[in-house]
Amino acid sequence: MYELAITGGRPLKGTVRVSGSKNAVLPIICAALLAKSPSIIEDVPDLVDVRSICTLIEHLGAQVELEGGKLRITPPEKPDTEAPYQLVRRMRASFLVLGPMLARAGKAKISLPGGCAIGSRPIDLHLKGFSLLGADITYGYGTIEARARQLTGSRIHLDFPSVGATENILMAAVLAKGNTVIENAAEEPEIVDLANYLNSMGASVRGAGTKIIRVKGVDHLTGTTHKIIPDRIEAGTFLVAAACTGGEVLVENVIPEHLQPLLAKLGEAGVPIFEEQGGLKVYPVKQLRGIKVKTMPYPGFPTDMQPQVMSLLCLASGNSIITETVFENRFQHVSQLEKMGARIKLSGRSAIIEGDRPLHGAVVKASDLRAGAALVLAGLAARGESRVGRLNHIDRGYEQFEQKLRALGARITRKIRAEKMLHHGVHPGIYIGQGRRQEFPGEGKYQ
Ligand code: EPZ
C-alpha cells in the first residue's frame, strides 16, 4: 500500500544513531529458549522481523514483553515442539529455533523455510550438524522433524561458513553431552554476540569469531541481561547514504572494527571517513572512483552491503565491477537502478557498472531488504522525484528508516501509493506524512 516519495539532490547533514543489530538479536531471541529462567535483552530494534520471531517463541510457550527497546523473555518449562508453517514462512530466520527446541525438548518439528528473492537458501548444513550431534532427522511434507533423547558433542566441519548453520549448531551444542568443535565456522560479529550471550548464561563457548569454535556442553543455562551489538549493516547503509549525496554525517553507536571490510572499499572509492566523536564521520566526497568489490563471508566484504554500494558506484567516475559470491540471485536491484538511468551489465556472478551517469527519479520497487535500501539511497542521489514501493521489505530490517533520513535533511515521505488512492476514489494529493493519513470513507485508521 505504501511507497516512499523521495526528492533527491540534497546532501545529508547531521548525526544518526544506529539501532541494535537485527542479525544479532534474532538468534539471541531464539537462544533465550535454552535457559530455565528469564532474560532481558537490551537495545532491541523495533522491526517487523523482531516481532515475527517473538510471535514464534510465544507460540512455543515463552512469555515476551517488549518495552522501550528492552525485551523480557521468560522461557517455557518445556518448549512446544512444533513451529507451524504460517509463522515460519514469514521469515527464514525462524529456522533458528530448531537448535534450541532440539536441545531443550529433545524433538522439534518445523516447516521448511524455503528460498527467498536472493537465493534458494538450503539448510543442509544445519541438518548435517544436528545429525552429527546425534539427532535423527526425518523429512515430512514440507517439514523437518528432528529427534534426540540426548545430543552428544561431535566434530562438525562446515562445507561453507554459513552464519545460520553456525548459530543453530552452536545453540544445540551448548546443552549437548561432551565437547563439540565447529570447523570452518562463520566468523561474523553476530556469532560473537550470540556466544557472549550464551556464555553469560553459563555456557562454555570458546573461539567464536574464528574459524574454530569449541563448545563444552553444560547441564543447564540461566537467564541473563544482554545488550545487543550495534547494527553494522544499518551503519554501513547510512555511511553510503551520506556518500551518495555528498553529505557530512556522523554515524553514532558503531563498532568501527565490524565495518573494516566496507570502510576499506569506501576508502578506495575516495569516500573520506574518520573515527571521531565516538562514531564514524563521513565528509563530502571530492572525486568518487570506480572500484572492484567481491562479497565474501566475514571478514570479507559483506553481501548485505552489496546493493547499497552498487547505488554509490553508479555515481562514480570510471567503471566498477561487483562480484557476488555468497548468494546466487542478489542482483534484482539492477533492473530498478537501470530505470533510474544506471547502466549495469550482468555477466555470471558479476555486475559491471558504467560510471559517469547521473541518476534521475523513477518509480521502482524493492525485491528484498537491502535492495530496498539501495533504491532509497539512489533516490536520495537522483535528480527529481523517485517512488520506492514494496516497503514491507525495508520495514523488516531498518528501524525508523525514513524518519532517521529526514532528520539528516532528506526529502522523503511515506505515503499511500497513488494507484491505491485512485482505487479508493480519492485524489492522491490528500495525505499526511509519517505513514498516517486521512481516513478513507469506511476505512480503518492507519498507524
Ligand atoms: C545470514 O543469513 C543473514 N541473516 C543474512 O542477512 C546474510 O546475508 C547472510 O547471513 C550472509 O552474511 C541473518 O542473520 C538473519 P548463510 P543466513 O547461512 O544465515 C548457503 C539481511 O539482509 N547455505 O551464511 O541464511 C546459502 O545458500 C540478510 O539482513 C547452504 O548452502 O546465511 C548461501 O548461499 C539477508 N546450506 C550461503 O550459504 C546451508 O545449510 C550463506 O548463507 C546454509 C547456507
Side-chain angles (χ1 to χ4, degrees), residues 15-263:
T15 301
V16 60
R17 182 188 182 281
V18 166
S19 304
S21 163
K22 167 181 84 78
N23 291 347
V25 77
L26 296 177
I28 285 175
I29 291 172
C30 300
L33 292 171
L34 289 163
K36 291 203 168 173
S37 51
S39 284
I40 307 274
I41 315 294
E42 296 172 338
D43 212 11
V44 175
D46 187 1
L47 301 168
V48 171
D49 277 7
V50 169
R51 289 173 181 264
S52 299
I53 209 128
C54 287
T55 309
L56 177 56
I57 66 164
E58 276 176 331
H59 173 88
L60 298 174
Q63 279 161 36
V64 177
E65 296 140 68
L66 175 62
E67 206 185 312
K70 266 205 179 134
L71 200 54
R72 181 185 165 80
I73 302 174
T74 307
E77 254 319 291
K78 203 163 186 212
D80 189 301
T81 58
E82 190 150 344
Y85 173 73
Q86 73 274 16
L87 291 180
V88 173
R89 74 177 178 77
R90 288 188 193 170
M91 179 183 58
R92 286 188 44 74
S94 310
F95 200 70
L96 293 173
V97 291
L98 188 53
M101 289 164 77
L102 197 49
R104 280 295 313 277
K107 67 176 180 176
K109 186 175 178 181
I110 185 167
S111 77
L112 282 168
C116 76
I118 63 177
S120 58
R121 307 189 74 177
I123 40 131
D124 56 316
L125 299 175
H126 300 236
L127 302 180
K128 179 183 161 196
F130 294 138
S131 338
L132 285 168
L133 290 172
D136 293 328
I137 309 281
T138 47
Y139 288 80
Y141 290 101
T143 62
I144 294 275
E145 192 151 349
R147 283 172 181 276
R149 233 196 304 283
Q150 166 69 66
L151 291 170
T152 309
S154 172
R155 180 175 290 276
I156 299 164
H157 181 88
L158 293 178
D159 303 339
F160 181 90
S162 151
V163 173
T166 303
E167 292 166 339
N168 232 338
I169 295 165
L170 180 55
M171 290 189 279
V174 288
L175 291 179
K177 204 154 114 307
N179 298 321
T180 296
V181 180
I182 307 174
E183 293 169 348
N184 197 27
E187 303 169 65
E188 272 69 3
E190 294 76 25
I191 306 273
V192 177
D193 204 27
L194 173 62
N196 291 343
Y197 171 63
L198 293 168
N199 284 340
S200 72
M201 293 204 291
S204 165
V205 180
R206 297 288 168 275
T210 75
K211 282 201 169 315
I212 308 271
I213 298 178
R214 297 177 194 283
V215 184
K216 189 165 177 307
V218 296
D219 294 340
H220 70 278
L221 298 176
T222 310
T224 184
T225 298
H226 180 83
K227 184 166 186 266
I228 296 293
I229 56 172
D231 195 312
R232 63 191 168 102
I233 305 298
E234 185 196 2
T237 302
F238 278 104
L239 293 172
V240 174
C244 280
T245 62
E248 186 167 327
V249 171
L250 174 66
V251 180
E252 286 183 332
N253 191 31
V254 288
I255 301 175
E257 184 206 330
H258 292 173
L259 287 148
Q260 275 321 318
L262 174 70
L263 296 176

Side-chain angles (χ1 to χ4, degrees), residues 117-118 331-333 336 365-369 371-372 375 389-390 393:
I118 63 177
F331 281 142
Q332 293 182 61
H333 40 288
Q336 303 300 303
K365 53 182 186 290
S367 53
D368 61 82
L369 168 59
L375 297 176
R390 299 224 189 117
H393 291 297

